[in-house]
Amino acid sequence: MAEPDPEPVSSGAGQRLGAPETLGISTLDPGQRPPVMPPGRHVTVRVRMLDDTEELFDISQKASGKVLLDLVCSHMNLIEGDYFGLEFQNHQKMMVWLDHIKPIIKQLRRPKRTILRFAVKFFPPDHAQLLEELTRYLFALQIKQDLSSGHLTCNDSTAALMVSYIIQSEIGDFEESQCRSHLLNNNYIPDQMPLIDKIMEFHSKNIGQTPAESDYQLLEVARRLEMYGIRLHPAKDREGTKLSLAVAHTGVLVFQGHTKINAFNWSKIRKLSFKRKRFLVKLRPDLNSSYQGTLEFLMASRDCCKIFWKICVEYHAFFRLFEEPKPKPKPVLFTRGSSFRFSGRTQKQVIDYVKETEFKKIPFERKHSRIQHNSRLSLLPSPCHHEVPTTSGASVDSPPGCHWKESVLVSAEDPSASRTAMASPSHQRNGHEDRTGSMSRTEETRGSRQTHPEHLSTGVVSDSPHLSASSGHSHGMVNGQKSLELCSHSPDGRQPSPLTSPLLNDACSVRTDDEDEVRRKRFPTDRAYFIAKELLTTERTYVKDLEVITVSFQSAIGQDEATPDALKNIINSTFEPLHKFHTGFLREVEQRLALWEGRSNAHIKGDSQRIGDVMLKNLQGLKPLTANLHKQSEVLLELEKACRASRKLEGLCRDFELQKVCYVPLNVFILRPLHRLIHYKQILERLCKHYLATHVDFRDCRAALADVSEVVEQLQGSLIKIENFQKILELKKDLIGINNLVVPGREFIRLGCLSKLSGKGLQQRMFFLFSDVILYTSRGMTATNQFKVHGQLLLRGMTIRESEDEWGVPHAFTLVGQQQSLVVAASSSIEMEKWMEDIKTVIEMAKTSNGPSSDLLTNNLTDNKDPSPVSENKAPLVGPPSGQGPVPLSVICWYRVQSLSFSESCRSLENQLSGNLLRKFKNSNGWQKLWVVFTNFSLFFYKSHQDDYPLASLPLLGYSVTIPSESENIHKDYVFKLHFKSHVYYFRSESEYAFERWMEVIRSATVPSSQACVLNSKESHLH
C-alpha cells in the first residue's frame, strides 16, 4: 500500500537564516562540491535534529551514508560537521551509526519509516577545539539532551550549574518570576524540582552572558564530567562481572555502573578485534606493565561486538591520525576479517581546514532562545570565570591538544584471535610511533606517579584482581589490568575495583641474576641481621605513616576555620613528639645497619653487629611519651565529635582520604603508634629466641623486651576497645540507611558476603554482624562504594539452624528472629561454620548482656542518600588525587565473596611488614624490584621507600600463597607465588628469613584462621 507523502517540515532551529538554497560547504575537502547524486530511485529520509525538529531530505537509494550527512550539514551550513553523525535503530533494535561508505539502501530496510538522529559522534577533550559558534551550540544541545535523558550523570550542584547556563542561553538574564515559571514548565534534568532554588541561585550569577558565552561555559563544565560523551556498551569480564565498555578520545574505557574503573590508552593498545561474542584488546608488550597479552570481554552478541569495534576504529582514526586512512587493496581470492575503515576527515584535518579557510559568517537561529543574539561568531567567546563544582569521584582533566599518532592496528573479527598486528599503512607512511605512554594510576593504587586500580577500579571492585591505567579519562581496568587505585582515576590515568592487581608503569630497575648474587654474598648472613633489617624497613614505613598525620593531614585541615582548636591541639601534641622521637630512632638504626653491613668507614666487627643496645636505649627514651600513646582514643573521639558538629570538616576529612598519600583509612594512621609497639615486641621476641643466652646482644634484647612488654600490657585492654571503635567508625562510612551505629557497648564481630534466599532465588547480600544486631545490605550504585541497608535482625531471642536439606541449597542456614526469619547460604562449608559459630556465640552473650538495642534503620530506606556533603573547600592535594580513597574491606569481601572477622582485621594491622621484593608476572621474563608494604590485608607497591604514596596495591583477600612448582620454571631461591583465579604473581625475597616472614604475614591475610583461634580471640574481644 502506498504511503502518503509526508508533510513538509518548516525549516527551524538548526538551519542558518539566510543560507543559500544551493548546497554549501560541508565535510568535503576545500573547494569541493557535494558529490553528484547517483542515479536511481529517490527516497525521502526523515532526520531529527538536535533541537528536536525534523527535516526531510530527498536522496538516491544508491547514495552512500556520507552523501546524506553532507546534505544535512550543508542544509545547516555547518562547517565542522565531521564531529557529528547520523544514528538509527536497526532491525535488531540496536542504535547504530550510519556507515559513510555503504549505500543507504543496504543500511535502512524501510527508509521512509526510519527516523535518523543527527547527533554528536566525536567528543573532543577541549571545546576550545570547536572553532565555530554553531558547532558549540549544537554540542550544547547534545549536552542538554544527555542531561535530560540521564546519560550524563553528575552531582546536584553540577547539574544545577549546567541548567543555569542552559536557561541563561534560552531566556536571558535572571528575573525571579520568569525564571521560576520557566523551570516549572520545562524539565532539564530527571529530578529537577528539589533543585529549582539552586538553579535560580546560579542563574542570578550569569547576568550579562550572551548565549554563545553560556554555551561555552556549559561545555566547560560538561567536559570535566566522567560521563561526558560516554555511550555505554554492556559486557562482562572473564569472571562474569557485569561491566560496560565505552570509547573516548583517549582510548577504551571500562565502567561498572556509571563509575569508570579502568582505561586503556591508545598508546598502550596494539590491536582491537572481536571473535564471535568476544571483544579482544591486545596490549603492547611492556616489561614494566602487568598487562601482557590479550584482554577479553564478553558481549551479548557478535553484532554488539562489531558495533562497538566499529566506533572504536572511528574514534581512533579521528583523534589519532593525521589523515584519513587509505582503503585496503581488494584481495584476489578471498577476504579475511572486515573491510570496514574510517571514512572522513580527521580532527587535525578539520581544525587545519577551518583555520586556513575564510568563511562568511552567516547568522543562525536558536530555536529555544528568546534572545536571538547572533554574536560575532568569534572563535572563542570570552568565558566568565565561575567556580565549577565537579562530581565526586570524577576525574577532571583538561588535556592539551590531541596527538595524532598512529599507534594501533584495529582489525575486525580475528579468526585466530592471536595474530601479530602489523603496522598500519598510516604508521608506515608517517614513519613514527606513539611513545607517549601515560602513566597509570591504581584504584587499589596510590602512586606518586600513577593512578589506576588494577581492579575494575574503582572505584569499583570486581571479583577478579585488576589494574588501572591512566589516560585522558579516569580509569580502572579489568582482567588483571590495573590496580585498584583501590583504587580510580584522573584525566591522564582511573578507578575502580578493589580486586585488582598492581599496574606499575614506572620504569623500575630490573636486576640481573649475577648482580643479585654479588649483592647477596656481600651482605651478612646471620639471621639476627635480617631481623634487625626488618626493624629498619618497618620503621621507615612507620615514620612515613606518622608524616601522613603530622604533615599531610595537618596541612589539609589546620588552616581551615571549620577545624576546632581542640582537635588541632590534641593532634599536634600527640603526634609531633612521636614523629620527632622516631625520626631520631630511625637514624640510629640506619647507622647501625650500615656498620653491620660494612658500608661505612668503620668496619667494626664486634659492637656493630648487634641491635639490642639501640632498641633498649630508645625504648627507655620512649617511656616519657607513654602518655601520648594513651591519647589515641581521645584523638579518635575528638575527630569524630568535630566531624559530627561540622559538615564542612567532615567533607575535608573525606577529601583527604581520597588523596593517594592516605592509602589506608585515616583512623588506621591514628592507631599506628599502638600497633608499632606490638611490632617492637614481636621483633625482640624473635631476637631473644634466636640468640644464645651467652650472646653479647641477648641481655640488651631481653631488657628491651621487658620494657616494651610492660607498655603493651598496660595498653592491651584499651587497644581492643579502640580498634573496635575505629572499625565501627569505618563501617559507618560504608553503610547508607542507618542511624546511631556508633553507640556504647556495640561491638563489631564479622562482615561478609552471603546469599539470601527470596522469591527471586538466591540474591547476593553483604551481612554485618554486631554484638546486638545483624544488618543485611546490597551494593549501591554509587561512586562511594557504599552499601544500602535492607533490613536488620536483633540477636536477642534469635535462633539459628542448618537448613541445607530443608531448602536444597548448599551451605544454607536459617536465622529465626522475633519478627522475621532469613534463609542464607554461604559460599563454602568453612564460611558457613565461621558464620554459625560467631552468631551462636553472640546470641548466647545477648541473652545476658544489657547492650544497645536501638533501631539502626532510618525511616525510609529507599530514599536514603549519601549523608556526606561535598565540601566546598578541597583539602590541599598531596600528590595527584586518586579519584577514590582506600577501597573498603567490605567492598573487597563483596566482590571476592569472602568474610572477615574483627580479630582477623586486628591481626592484619598488627602484622605489618615492609621491604624490597622482586616481582614477576606469569608470562614475563624479568624481575622488577619494588618496595612493598603489607598492611590491612593488602600489598602496596612503591618504587622506593622514599616515595610518599604507592604506585599500586593488591588486596589479598581470596588469594592463595604457595611455593612455585617445578613445572613453573622459577629456578630461584626464596620465591613465593600469589594467585587468585587466573591472576598469578611471583615474589622473590633476599633471604630465607625474609621469605618466611612474607609467607607468614600474607598467609594471615589469605588463609582462613582456624575456628578455635577465631572464636577464642572473639570471646576476649566481646568480654
Side-chain angles (χ1 to χ4, degrees):
M1 186 172 74
E3 298 181 2
D5 293 337
E7 297 181 5
V9 179
S10 60
S11 65
Q15 180 180 7
R16 294 193 180 197
L17 299 179
E21 293 296 328
T22 57
L23 298 173
I25 298 175
S26 172
T27 60
L28 306 175
D29 290 334
Q32 286 188 339
R33 303 286 295 172
V36 178
M37 193 72 67
R41 192 162 71 97
H42 282 223
V43 294
T44 300
V45 178
R46 188 182 300 268
V47 178
R48 180 170 297 155
M49 314 303 283
L50 282 167
D51 54 14
D52 293 329
T53 61
E54 291 186 359
E55 303 285 348
L56 302 179
F57 295 92
D58 189 63
I59 192 169
S60 170
Q61 287 184 335
K62 295 182 180 179
S64 66
K66 191 172 189 303
V67 172
L68 177 57
L69 180 62
D70 287 341
L71 281 175
V72 175
C73 294
S74 298
H75 174 71
M76 294 185 290
N77 204 33
L78 175 62
I79 307 303
E80 298 171 298
D82 303 82
Y83 290 101
F84 302 85
L86 298 170
E87 60 177 351
F88 64 96
Q89 193 176 56
N90 65 10
H91 64 283
Q92 296 174 315
K93 307 297 183 183
M94 294 187 290
M95 295 300 296
V96 297
W97 291 102
L98 189 70
D99 192 306
H100 284 191
I101 299 177
K102 287 185 179 179
I104 291 177
I105 190 62
K106 291 188 177 181
Q107 301 185 65
L108 306 181
R109 287 194 170 184
R110 296 182 174 183
K112 292 183 179 181
R113 298 186 180 181
T114 302
I115 298 180
L116 290 90
R117 291 179 58 248
F118 179 77
V120 177
K121 187 175 184 179
F122 302 111
F123 290 81
D126 188 355
H127 56 284
Q129 295 170 346
L130 306 176
L131 304 182
E132 277 226 314
E133 181 183 330
L134 174 60
T135 310
R136 291 193 292 276
Y137 168 60
L138 294 175
F139 266 74
L141 292 178
Q142 182 70 66
I143 297 302
K144 178 182 172 183
Q145 283 189 7
D146 291 349
L147 266 180
S148 177
S149 64
H151 286 145
L152 183 59
T153 57
C154 58
N155 61 28
D156 289 348
S157 295
T158 305
L161 181 64
M162 288 196 288
V163 173
S164 75
Y165 290 132
I166 294 173
I167 61 176
Q168 173 71 22
S169 174
E170 293 184 356
I171 67 175
D173 289 344
F174 176 75
E175 196 281 313
E176 185 172 358
S177 59
Q178 179 193 30
C179 179
R180 187 176 296 277
S181 173
H182 185 79
L183 289 172
L184 291 174
N185 294 324
N186 298 274
N187 280 326
Y188 295 98
I189 49 180
D191 190 15
Q192 181 172 294
M193 288 302 294
L195 297 178
I196 285 182
D197 291 338
K198 185 174 285 190
I199 294 171
M200 293 175 64
E201 178 187 347
F202 282 128
H203 186 201
S204 66
K205 300 176 182 178
N206 298 337
I207 293 177
Q209 280 187 10
T210 65
E213 290 171 336
S214 297
D215 290 345
Y216 190 92
Q217 291 298 328
L218 175 65
L219 297 178
E220 176 68 23
V221 177
R223 74 181 182 90
R224 299 172 181 270
L225 300 177
E226 194 167 60
M227 294 300 294
Y228 169 68
I230 296 300
R231 297 295 181 265
L232 300 177
H233 298 255
K236 294 180 180 179
D237 66 8
R238 288 181 178 176
E239 282 75 34
T241 303
K242 291 184 179 180
L243 308 167
S244 296
L245 299 180
V247 63
H249 68 279
T250 55
V252 178
L253 312 178
V254 182
F255 283 78
Q256 197 161 43
H258 286 88
T259 302
K260 180 166 57 180
I261 57 180
N262 219 336
F264 303 91
N265 197 291
W266 292 126
S267 62
K268 304 296 182 185
I269 299 175
R270 180 178 180 182
K271 181 179 182 182
L272 295 175
S273 61
F274 64 94
K275 185 175 183 181
R276 299 186 181 91
K277 297 194 296 184
R278 293 182 295 140
F279 186 79
L280 306 172
V281 181
K282 189 170 185 179
L283 301 174
R284 294 184 179 278
D286 186 354
L287 293 178
N288 296 321
S289 171
S290 60
Y291 301 104
Q292 308 292 333
T294 303
L295 306 176
E296 180 179 308
F297 300 90
L298 187 67
M299 305 188 83
S301 64
R302 179 185 181 277
D303 289 336
C304 292
C305 277
K306 189 170 185 178
I307 290 170
F308 182 60
W309 174 82
K310 281 185 174 182
I311 188 62
C312 288
V313 172
E314 293 180 314
Y315 251 85
H316 172 263
F318 183 76
F319 286 109
R320 300 285 288 186
L321 302 188
F322 284 105
E323 56 187 23
E324 177 184 353
K326 297 293 187 276
K328 298 178 181 178
K330 292 185 177 181
V332 178
L333 297 177
F334 58 88
T335 62
R336 188 179 187 184
S338 172
S339 61
F340 176 79
R341 65 179 176 88
F342 171 74
S343 175
R345 292 184 300 195
T346 65
Q347 187 191 35
K348 183 179 186 301
Q349 289 177 310
V350 174
I351 292 176
D352 291 346
Y353 173 53
V354 175
K355 286 181 177 179
E356 294 170 2
T357 310
E358 293 185 3
F359 299 101
K360 182 181 179 181
K361 305 299 182 184
I362 302 176
F364 66 92
E365 177 187 357
R366 293 172 177 267
K367 174 185 175 184
H368 301 284
S369 181
R370 299 181 186 177
I371 44 169
Q372 292 299 331
H373 175 86
N374 289 317
S375 71
R376 303 169 308 287
L377 291 180
S378 57
L379 293 185
L380 290 177
S382 58
C384 300
H385 298 288
H386 291 278
E387 182 176 353
V388 181
T390 59
T391 358
S392 61
S395 53
V396 180
D397 84 320
S398 47
C402 289
H403 303 280
W404 295 278
K405 299 187 179 183
E406 169 61 346
S407 63
V408 182
L409 171 61
V410 192
S411 74
E413 182 165 2
D414 184 357
S416 66
S418 61
R419 293 198 305 266
T420 304
M422 298 172 62
S424 72
S426 170
H427 179 94
Q428 297 167 349
R429 184 171 56 250
N430 297 330
H432 67 267
E433 244 179 43
D434 183 3
R435 303 187 183 278
T436 59
S438 64
M439 301 186 118
S440 76
R441 309 179 179 181
T442 70
E443 288 245 50
E444 314 179 326
T445 299
R446 306 177 168 270
S448 49
R449 286 143 286 270
Q450 308 190 350
T451 310
H452 283 304
E454 72 160 332
H455 313 247
L456 282 186
S457 101
T458 132
V460 174
V461 197
S462 85
D463 67 343
S464 66
H466 313 296
L467 300 178
S468 24
S470 326
S471 41
H473 279 266
S474 311
H475 340 296
M477 274 193 168
V478 185
N479 295 338
Q481 273 40 62
K482 301 200 171 158
S483 149
L484 207 314
E485 271 177 41
L486 269 182
C487 346
S488 121
H489 282 233
S490 71
D492 30 355
R494 93 89 179 202
Q495 352 218 244
S497 95
L499 320 173
T500 325
S501 350
L503 169 65
L504 305 173
N505 283 0
D506 276 348
C508 298
S509 59
V510 178
R511 282 205 311 247
T512 64
D513 296 335
D514 292 340
E515 290 172 340
D516 186 64
E517 291 303 321
V518 170
R519 180 182 178 279
R520 185 176 299 165
K521 290 175 183 176
R522 189 172 68 237
F523 282 171
T525 57
D526 184 10
R527 185 179 182 88
Y529 162 78
F530 293 107
I531 298 175
K533 190 167 185 179
E534 179 185 339
L535 172 66
L536 170 65
T537 57
T538 53
E539 191 70 14
R540 283 172 172 167
T541 299
Y542 174 55
V543 170
K544 284 288 186 183
D545 288 348
L546 287 177
E547 289 173 357
V548 172
I549 300 295
T550 59
V551 179
S552 305
F553 184 60
Q554 290 212 83
S555 65
I557 69 167
Q559 303 302 320
D560 198 282
E561 59 184 12
T563 308
D565 290 337
L567 178 60
K568 297 178 185 177
N569 294 336
I570 194 171
I571 291 178
N572 186 68
S573 62
T574 301
F575 288 95
E576 285 293 348
L578 290 173
H579 178 253
K580 182 178 180 181
F581 171 82
H582 285 282
T583 301
F585 179 36
L586 173 60
R587 190 180 308 111
E588 288 190 41
V589 175
E590 288 177 333
Q591 291 170 354
R592 178 56 57 88
L593 265 291
L595 291 172
W596 203 330
E597 295 170 357
R599 287 187 286 126
S600 73
N601 293 328
H603 297 274
I604 309 170
K605 291 301 179 183
D607 291 341
S608 65
Q609 295 186 343
R610 52 186 297 189
I611 197 65
D613 58 331
V614 176
M615 294 197 70
L616 177 60
K617 171 191 167 186
N618 283 276
L619 288 174
Q620 289 175 345
L622 186 61
K623 283 185 177 182
L625 298 177
T626 305
N628 297 64
L629 301 174
H630 284 280
K631 287 184 180 179
Q632 309 306 311
S633 58
E634 296 179 31
V635 175
L636 283 179
L637 288 169
E638 193 66 37
L639 181 59
E640 175 65 11
K641 176 184 174 182
C643 288
R644 287 187 179 185
S646 170
R647 294 172 69 85
K648 184 177 181 182
L649 178 61
E650 183 184 15
L652 288 173
C653 293
R654 188 178 57 256
D655 291 341
F656 178 75
E657 283 197 323
L658 296 181
Q659 299 184 26
K660 297 172 85 69
V661 71
C662 188
Y663 64 97
V664 293
L666 175 60
N667 289 340
V668 173
F669 287 107
I670 294 176
L671 298 187
R672 279 288 194 245
L674 299 178
H675 296 145
R676 188 57 180 159
L677 289 177
I678 298 176
H679 301 161
Y680 291 150
K681 182 182 175 186
Q682 294 170 348
I683 288 172
L684 286 166
E685 285 173 344
R686 283 192 285 274
L687 282 169
C688 290
K689 184 178 179 181
H690 168 68
Y691 285 140
L692 297 176
T694 56
H695 194 281
V696 65
D697 203 25
F698 178 75
R699 176 178 292 184
D700 288 338
C701 288
R702 187 172 61 178
L705 176 59
D707 288 343
V708 75
S709 298
E710 179 184 352
V711 179
V712 170
E713 188 175 349
Q714 293 174 2
L715 297 171
Q716 188 64 41
S718 61
L719 176 59
I720 293 175
K721 294 179 181 178
I722 297 173
E723 287 178 330
N724 178 73
F725 179 56
Q726 178 267 328
K727 192 65 183 178
I728 293 181
L729 287 178
E730 185 180 331
L731 294 177
K732 175 187 171 186
K733 301 175 185 178
D734 298 345
L735 298 173
I736 303 177
I738 58 173
N739 285 330
N740 303 323
L741 182 64
V742 184
V743 295
R746 175 167 292 131
E747 300 187 32
F748 166 66
I749 309 298
R750 178 177 291 277
L751 64 81
C753 223
L754 295 172
S755 296
K756 175 178 171 287
L757 185 63
S758 66
K760 299 180 181 179
L762 290 173
Q763 295 180 313
Q764 184 178 357
R765 294 287 182 262
M766 177 63 74
F767 281 72
F768 297 83
L769 174 62
F770 297 92
S771 57
D772 61 321
V773 68
I774 298 178
L775 301 177
Y776 55 94
T777 68
S778 67
R779 183 84 164 81
M781 294 303 295
T782 68
T784 54
N785 286 327
Q786 291 176 299
F787 291 88
K788 182 178 180 181
V789 178
H790 284 267
Q792 66 176 356
L793 289 175
L794 297 179
L795 291 172
R796 185 167 296 176
M798 178 187 287
T799 60
I800 182 172
R801 67 173 186 270
E802 290 190 36
S803 50
E804 183 172 338
D805 296 334
E806 179 181 353
W807 297 98
V809 178
H811 319 308
F813 57 95
T814 303
L815 303 173
V816 182
Q818 293 180 340
Q819 296 181 345
Q820 72 174 116
S821 300
L822 289 182
V823 179
V824 295
S827 59
S828 65
S829 59
I830 296 177
E831 283 291 306
M832 182 185 73
E833 290 171 6
K834 289 196 287 187
W835 274 105
M836 290 190 67
E837 288 297 331
D838 282 355
I839 294 174
K840 286 177 181 178
T841 301
V842 292
I843 286 176
E844 289 299 317
M845 298 186 61
K847 292 178 181 178
T848 57
S849 68
N850 296 319
S853 58
S854 59
D855 192 348
L856 296 181
L857 303 188
T858 53
N859 294 330
N860 188 349
L861 294 177
T862 59
D863 294 332
N864 289 316
K865 296 184 179 178
D866 182 0
S868 316
V870 177
S871 63
E872 297 177 2
N873 296 324
K874 300 290 182 182
L877 293 182
V878 182
S882 66
Q884 175 183 335
V887 177
L889 290 173
S890 55
V891 177
I892 300 173
C893 288
W894 169 268
Y895 283 100
R896 295 190 180 167
V897 195
Q898 299 285 319
S899 72
L900 188 63
S901 71
F902 173 59
S903 59
E904 291 168 334
S905 179
C906 294
R907 192 162 50 250
S908 175
L909 293 174
E910 294 167 4
N911 282 345
Q912 181 172 322
L913 187 62
S914 309
N916 286 310
L917 287 175
L918 298 179
R919 188 195 62 178
K920 176 185 179 298
F921 298 108
K922 181 168 62 174
N923 298 321
S924 65
N925 296 322
W927 292 86
Q928 184 182 27
K929 183 181 177 182
L930 299 168
W931 177 264
V932 184
V933 174
F934 168 82
T935 187
N936 206 31
F937 294 95
S938 299
L939 293 178
F940 297 91
F941 302 92
Y942 301 73
K943 191 172 181 180
S944 78
H945 68 83
Q946 297 171 331
D947 290 351
D948 291 328
Y949 32 82
L951 300 170
S953 63
L954 177 63
L956 295 177
L957 287 174
Y959 269 80
S960 298
V961 56
T962 58
I963 299 174
S965 62
E966 289 291 333
S967 60
E968 293 172 272
N969 295 321
I970 305 294
H971 304 299
K972 301 292 180 185
D973 295 332
Y974 314 133
V975 175
F976 59 91
K977 177 175 77 170
L978 284 173
H979 58 98
F980 174 78
K981 296 186 177 179
S982 60
H983 306 279
V984 178
Y985 307 93
Y986 299 100
F987 293 92
R988 181 176 165 201
S989 57
E990 64 180 357
S991 67
E992 182 180 1
Y993 171 80
F995 170 78
E996 293 171 355
R997 287 289 293 134
W998 281 107
M999 291 284 286
E1000 178 186 347
V1001 298
I1002 291 175
R1003 277 177 174 157
S1004 71
T1006 58
V1007 178
S1009 305
S1010 66
Q1011 227 170 284
C1013 177
V1014 173
L1015 291 178
N1016 291 340
S1017 179
K1018 183 66 63 190
E1019 291 175 7
S1020 67
H1021 292 283
L1022 292 175
H1023 291 291

